[in-house]
């Protein structure tokens, strides 16, 4: 077949030469083929914000020519490759010249305008300007949006790019004012209990301010306090479980003079995970008036919550793709937000049911209610968090847990990436490969740095990727640094019995804070002027660390090989059990299933399945293997071979907890057919071993 193809190509080439001779036309020398194209300066005008970059585009470039770029002043910089960097506000020109065979000609000039962004620190309106919240009913606090206030979309009218007119989701902590049946004042007969279910559900400091008046003719003691219940959690190793409801209460009293209005302030420390919260005012046998009651919730003493949230946007990046997603959501088009990360993204310790308090789910809800059309049902959500996931596992799971979960379109409109917690020293290239994969598919990429401590966080290193690709970056830790004494150990991490905060997980309040930080980034972008997308083609952008794993696909025991042209065959051999129940389950509902196993379709070797190797023939340039990392000598080890050559051992360690460990079996530049073999080591044939999944690039 190859010989026939070559003969056809040769016959075509001869016919072309003869045609050229017959028609008297001059044949084009392949070496001079570019001379037939006219070189033109495609980029004529550029508008940039300070710090942004733009590459000058030239069409019909001659490979033998040299191109030079010269800036007219120091408002901008321009590299040898024509990359403009905005330095200062103002205007400048870039002169572009082409030199060929010692002859230089001017291709033209590029007019550059450099602008500065307005000094905005937007967040949700209720956070930047805490104020009065009037609830729908008496003696309760709530500022949650109602369906009746949400606009509807008329299909007969033109969509608008204006933000949806709806209340924004209330922030985790804010100043609230109590409304007594439309009045700020209430006459109390000895005692009043005010139910405030949402006021302190995240725990923290509760500051109560009120004015009191009584006319008994002598001073009277008035007590101010709270009562309710909270969820008690206990920790056993890496696992957190709810134990029971415990009562909570505290009170303070003061002497109120007769006939004189007295303003008093009280501060209470409320336990985390408050399930029920009631404010209580009482004076035994005394009628009194209470007026101007406010409740201010704070995560810890002297916390400037609005400032923390406003300072958490590390960068809004090039806003073109996020703005596009916002505009689509407002116009009623389908928009998908996906979150890829580890245990914090999964929602570990975030909530009791359906993961509603997880920062991923909560920030999605805020985006949906703020920018979605009508009831926001055109905005969709994918949680692809999994405990213990480094970037090397994330790139394996990306197709299965993100792309294969897409119900509207092929790729997420916005992808959040969070792997700073679990990544080690050699994961930077897989981290970048996820970024480049998503950018190449047209997604807006947001880098999420979830840790507030510096022991495990890679924010300093990984933020370099955000700067390099000009991505939006959200840093709750940077927001926390705006506080003089951030008491995050107490209010933002569930670390009971564990003093090492680097391994703690955010509690409900911490997740809500992170969601507010993400919403602040969205509000920041929404108020900016729309920019031109800076990623025209990734072919023009060299990787910072590596891109060998871009476009990686997921291979599992359930994969339909008829849909995978690059996977020629899979022979499980003695790895013939396709389930492993000794693994953890997801914190959220996936595909309608609660407690789905992390890897429901595996290749497992057991003590009774024999000793035959696992073999797979794959056209690929890179192969990663995710296998079960179990602790103890009862679990086996397996050797890995590529094309008959041993490339390493897949083993177990003392630190394994049935998590996934990653082995780099192949990493090349060229896609070729390779045979992957995994064989139990001699003497370990009677021990269990599980292959979770295989990632390959074709």
């Amino acid at each position: 077949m190859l010989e026939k193809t070559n003969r056809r190509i040769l016959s075509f080439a001869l016919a072309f030469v003869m045609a050229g001779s017959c028609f008297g036309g001059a044949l084009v020398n392949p070496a001079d083929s570019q001379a037939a194209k006219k070189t033109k300066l495609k980029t004529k005008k550029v508008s940039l914000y300070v710090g942004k970059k733009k590459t000058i585009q030239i069409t019909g470039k001659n490979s033998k020519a040299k191109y030079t770029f010269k800036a007219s002043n120091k408002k901008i910089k321009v590299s040898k490759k024509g990359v403009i960097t905005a330095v200062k506000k103002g205007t400048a020109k870039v002169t572009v010249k082409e030199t060929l065979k010692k002859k230089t000609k001017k291709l033209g000039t590029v007019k550059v305008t450099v602008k500065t962004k307005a000094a905005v620190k937007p967040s949700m309106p209720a956070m930047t300007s805490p104020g009065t919240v009037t609830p729908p009913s008496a003696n309760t606090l709530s500022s949650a949006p109602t369906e009746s206030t949400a606009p509807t979309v008329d299909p007969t009218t033109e969509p608008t790019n204006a933000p949806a007119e709806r209340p924004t989701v209330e922030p985790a902590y804010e100043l609230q004012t109590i409304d007594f049946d439309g009045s700020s004042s209430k006459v109390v007969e000895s005692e009043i209990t005010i139910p405030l279910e949402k006021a302190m559900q995240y725990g923290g400091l509760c500051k109560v301010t009120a004015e009191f008046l009584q006319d008994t003719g002598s001073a009277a003691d008035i007590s101010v306090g709270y009562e309710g219940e909270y969820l008690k959690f206990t920790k056993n190793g890496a696992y957190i479980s709810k134990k029971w409801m415990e009562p909570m209460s505290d009170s303070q009293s003061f002497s109120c003079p007769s006939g004189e209005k007295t303003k008093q302030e009280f501060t209470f420390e409320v336990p985390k995970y408050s399930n029920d919260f009631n404010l209580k005012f009482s004076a035994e046998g005394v009628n009194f008036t209470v007026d101007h009651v406010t409740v201010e919730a704070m995560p810890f003493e002297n916390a400037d919550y609005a400032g923390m949230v406003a300072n958490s946007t590390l960068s809004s990046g090039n806003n073109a793709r996020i703005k596009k997603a916002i505009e689509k959501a407002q116009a009623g088009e389908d928009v998908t937000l996906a979150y890829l990360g580890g245990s914090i993204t999964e929602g570990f310790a975030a909530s009791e049911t359906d993961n509603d308090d997880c920062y991923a789910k909560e920030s999605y809800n805020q985006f949906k209610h703020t920018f979605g059309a009508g009831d926001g049902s055109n905005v969709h959500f994918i949680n692809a968090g999994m405990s213990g996931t480094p970037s090397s596992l994330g790139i394996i799971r990306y197709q299965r847990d993100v792309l294969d979960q897409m119900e509207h379109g092929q790729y997420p409109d916005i992808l959040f990436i969070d792997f700073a917690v679990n990544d080690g020293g050699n994961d930077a290239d897989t981290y970048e490969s996820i970024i480049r994969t998503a950018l190449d598919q047209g997604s807006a990429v947001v880098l999420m740095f979830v840790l507030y401590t510096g022991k495990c966080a890679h924010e300093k290193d990984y933020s370099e990727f955000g700067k390099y690709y000009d991505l939006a970056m959200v840093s709750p830790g940077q927001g926390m640094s705006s506080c003089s004494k951030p008491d995050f150990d107490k209010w933002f991490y569930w670390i009971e019995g564990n003093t090492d905060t680097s391994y703690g997980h955010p509690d409900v309040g911490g997740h809500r804070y992170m969601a507010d930080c993400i919403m602040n980034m969205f509000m920041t972008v929404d108020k900016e002027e729309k920019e031109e997308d800076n990623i025209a083609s990734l072919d023009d952008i060299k990787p910072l660390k590596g891109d060998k794993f871009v476009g990686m696909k997921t291979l599992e025991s359930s994969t339909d090989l008829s849909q995978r042209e690059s996977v020629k065959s899979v022979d499980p051999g003695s790895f013939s059990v396709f389930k492993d129940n000794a693994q953890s389950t997801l914190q959220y509902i996936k595909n309608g299933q609660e407690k789905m196993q992390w890897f429901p379709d595996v290749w497992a070797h057991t003590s009774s399945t024999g000793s035959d190797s696992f073999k797979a023939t794959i056209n690929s340039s890179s192969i990663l293997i995710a296998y079960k990392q179990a602790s103890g000598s009862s679990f086996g080890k397996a050797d890995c071979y590529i094309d008959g050559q041993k490339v390493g051992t897949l083993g177990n360690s003392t630190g394994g907890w049935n998590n996934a460990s990653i082995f780099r079996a192949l990493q090349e530049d060229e896609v070729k057919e390779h045979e992957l073999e995994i064989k139990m080591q001699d003497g370990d044939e009677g021990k269990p071993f599980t292959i979770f999944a295989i990632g390959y690039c074709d």
Side-chain angles (χ1 to χ4, degrees):
M1 179 62 73
L2 183 59
E3 291 179 355
K4 289 182 179 179
T5 303
N6 289 338
R7 284 200 296 270
R8 289 175 182 170
I9 294 172
L10 181 59
S11 298
F12 177 80
L14 290 172
F16 179 74
V17 172
M18 291 174 64
S21 301
C22 292
F23 289 97
L27 292 177
V28 178
N29 186 331
D32 296 330
S33 60
Q34 290 188 354
K37 300 178 182 178
K38 188 174 181 181
T39 305
K40 290 184 179 180
L41 180 61
K42 183 178 180 181
T43 306
K44 300 295 180 65
K45 290 183 180 181
V46 173
S47 180
L48 295 171
Y49 287 111
V50 171
K52 301 295 183 179
K53 297 181 179 181
K54 173 72 176 178
T55 302
I56 296 173
Q57 302 293 325
I58 301 174
T59 59
K61 277 187 176 182
N62 192 310
S63 60
K64 294 184 178 182
K66 179 181 179 181
Y67 297 91
T68 57
F69 309 87
K70 185 177 181 181
S72 62
N73 57 50
K74 294 183 179 181
K75 303 290 185 184
I76 61 171
K77 293 180 181 178
V78 60
S79 72
K80 293 180 180 180
K81 294 185 177 181
V83 180
I84 302 170
T85 302
V87 178
K88 296 180 180 179
K89 182 179 180 181
T91 59
K93 292 182 180 180
V94 177
T95 302
V96 184
K97 294 182 180 181
E98 178 189 64
T99 302
L100 180 63
K101 296 179 181 180
K102 297 184 179 181
K103 292 184 179 180
T104 300
K105 69 175 181 179
K106 180 179 176 182
L107 293 181
T109 57
V110 181
K111 296 181 180 179
V112 184
T113 302
V114 179
K115 300 175 289 184
T116 56
K117 294 184 181 181
V120 232
K121 281 189 177 178
S123 58
M124 289 171 289
M127 284 191 294
T128 52
S129 302
T132 301
V133 177
T134 303
S137 60
N139 297 342
T140 62
L141 280 179
S142 174
S143 60
T146 59
E147 293 300 321
S148 61
T149 60
T152 57
V153 176
D154 184 353
T156 63
T157 62
E158 288 292 321
T160 175
N161 289 333
E165 292 296 331
R166 71 179 83 239
T168 56
V169 179
E170 61 183 289
Y173 301 95
E174 65 176 332
L175 177 67
Q176 300 177 329
T177 300
I178 294 176
D179 176 28
F180 298 102
D181 297 318
S183 171
S184 66
S185 181
K186 177 74 173 178
V187 177
V188 178
E189 296 181 0
S190 298
E191 182 178 288
I192 183 173
T193 298
I194 306 166
L196 305 175
E197 293 181 0
K198 292 186 177 182
M200 294 300 302
Q201 62 180 325
Y202 308 106
L205 290 186
C206 176
K207 184 184 292 185
V208 180
T209 304
E211 294 178 354
F212 300 88
L213 177 65
Q214 59 89 14
D215 293 309
T216 60
S218 61
D221 289 337
I222 297 179
S223 175
V224 176
Y226 72 87
E227 58 185 15
E229 295 177 316
Y230 72 102
L231 293 172
K232 180 69 176 179
F233 285 79
T234 60
K235 184 172 183 178
N236 180 16
Y239 299 96
I240 296 175
S241 58
K242 182 183 72 173
K243 297 298 287 186
W244 59 77
M245 298 293 296
E246 287 198 353
M248 63 178 190
S249 64
D250 194 7
S251 65
Q252 300 172 31
S253 61
F254 71 100
S255 178
C256 182
S258 177
E260 183 180 330
K261 183 174 284 190
T262 303
K263 185 175 183 179
Q264 295 288 325
E265 183 179 284
F266 307 87
T267 300
F268 302 97
E269 190 170 309
V270 180
K272 291 185 295 184
Y273 305 106
S274 300
N275 186 65
D276 191 13
F277 183 83
N278 300 306
L279 199 60
K280 189 174 182 179
F281 299 148
S282 61
E284 187 175 351
V286 175
N287 292 350
F288 60 94
T289 300
V290 59
D291 198 2
H292 297 117
V293 180
T294 62
V295 178
E296 185 177 5
M298 297 180 292
F300 47 83
E301 189 175 2
N302 299 322
D304 175 11
Y305 188 75
M308 289 159 51
V309 172
N311 289 327
S312 66
T313 299
L314 193 62
S315 170
S316 58
N318 180 280
N319 62 33
R321 296 189 182 191
I322 294 179
K323 274 191 167 293
K324 180 180 178 181
I326 290 174
E327 290 166 359
K328 285 176 62 179
Q330 291 171 336
E333 299 178 43
D334 289 311
V335 170
T336 299
L337 277 63
Y339 299 74
L340 184 63
S343 56
I344 297 178
T345 302
E346 184 181 352
F348 186 76
S351 59
E352 295 180 78
T353 58
D354 199 23
N355 235 25
D356 283 340
D357 288 311
C358 172
Y359 86 85
K361 185 72 173 288
E362 179 58 31
S363 62
Y364 151 74
N365 283 330
Q366 293 192 30
F367 182 95
K368 176 176 72 173
H369 286 293
T370 303
F371 300 115
D375 61 358
S377 59
N378 62 310
V379 181
H380 313 286
F381 171 66
I382 296 173
N383 189 332
M386 181 186 291
S387 295
T389 296
S391 297
S392 51
L393 179 56
I395 192 66
I396 295 176
R397 296 198 295 108
Y398 184 65
Q399 182 195 20
R400 184 195 75 170
D401 293 340
V402 176
L403 300 185
D404 289 352
Q405 303 303 313
M406 291 290 300
E407 296 182 1
H408 306 273
Q410 285 184 285
Y411 311 114
D413 295 88
I414 302 174
L415 175 69
F416 289 85
I417 301 176
D418 159 37
F419 292 117
V421 179
N422 295 311
D423 273 14
N426 63 342
D427 290 310
D429 57 346
T430 49
Y431 184 80
E432 184 172 15
S433 291
I434 299 173
I435 292 173
R436 291 179 71 92
T437 297
L439 288 176
D440 194 43
Q441 293 167 346
S443 300
V445 174
V446 180
L447 304 186
M448 184 70 187
F449 302 113
V450 298
L451 278 188
Y452 313 138
T453 62
K455 293 185 180 180
C456 284
H458 290 251
E459 179 177 322
K460 180 180 178 182
D461 296 328
Y462 278 8
S463 62
E464 293 303 311
F465 291 106
K467 296 173 185 175
Y468 186 71
Y469 293 100
D470 202 7
L471 307 176
M473 294 184 283
V474 179
S475 171
Q478 177 173 273
M480 292 289 292
S481 67
S482 64
C483 298
S484 58
K485 293 181 179 179
D487 195 3
F488 51 78
D489 287 5
K490 202 167 192 176
W491 297 114
F492 285 148
Y493 276 99
W494 198 98
I495 54 171
E496 194 168 322
N498 182 357
T499 58
D500 186 354
T501 59
S502 65
Y503 294 101
H505 287 79
D507 60 18
V508 176
H511 275 273
R512 186 55 188 267
Y513 167 58
M514 290 190 291
D516 288 346
C517 292
I518 289 175
M519 195 59 194
N520 178 74
M521 180 274 295
F522 280 134
M523 298 297 287
T524 300
V525 169
D526 186 47
K527 293 183 180 182
E528 292 176 346
E529 181 181 340
K530 188 173 183 179
E531 299 172 334
E532 182 181 349
D533 194 337
N534 64 321
I535 309 291
S537 172
L538 281 174
D539 294 337
D540 300 330
I541 304 175
K542 292 182 179 180
L544 195 60
K545 296 294 183 181
D547 62 350
K548 292 292 193 299
F549 306 98
V550 169
M552 178 160 275
K553 294 181 173 62
T554 312
L555 180 63
E556 296 179 292
S557 62
S558 61
T559 301
D560 184 358
L561 299 187
S562 67
Q563 303 299 314
R564 300 292 183 87
E565 185 178 346
S566 296
V567 183
K568 304 301 181 183
S569 64
V570 174
D571 178 5
S574 64
F575 296 75
S576 54
V577 179
F578 301 146
K579 296 291 179 184
D580 183 345
N581 293 325
Q583 57 172 307
S584 297
T585 57
L586 294 172
Q587 302 282 317
Y588 50 85
I589 297 173
K590 182 177 180 181
N591 299 332
Q593 180 179 335
E594 291 187 27
K595 298 187 179 302
M596 178 181 282
Q597 289 184 336
W598 289 350
F599 296 95
D601 304 300
V602 304
W603 292 282
H605 172 278
T606 70
S607 59
S608 60
T609 52
S611 59
D612 292 341
S613 300
F614 171 95
K615 293 182 179 180
T617 304
I618 310 172
N619 280 344
S620 182
S621 59
S622 299
I623 296 176
L624 298 178
I625 302 169
Y627 64 95
K628 182 177 175 179
Q629 184 70 275
S631 178
S633 59
S634 60
F635 295 91
K637 294 183 179 181
D639 291 328
C640 181
Y641 299 82
I642 295 291
D643 301 328
Q645 298 294 317
K646 182 179 175 179
V647 293
T649 298
L650 286 61
N652 294 289
S653 70
T654 56
W657 45 279
N658 295 340
N659 57 304
S661 190
I662 310 301
F663 177 73
R664 299 186 178 214
L666 179 69
Q667 187 173 335
E668 296 180 346
D669 295 322
E670 183 181 352
V671 174
K672 293 189 296 186
E673 183 174 291
H674 295 282
E675 182 175 82
L676 168 67
E677 180 182 5
I678 301 174
K679 182 179 181 180
M680 296 302 296
Q681 280 192 345
D682 293 342
D684 280 5
E685 296 89 348
K687 295 180 179 181
F689 188 92
T690 300
I691 305 169
F692 280 149
I694 296 171
Y696 67 93
C697 296
D698 59 0

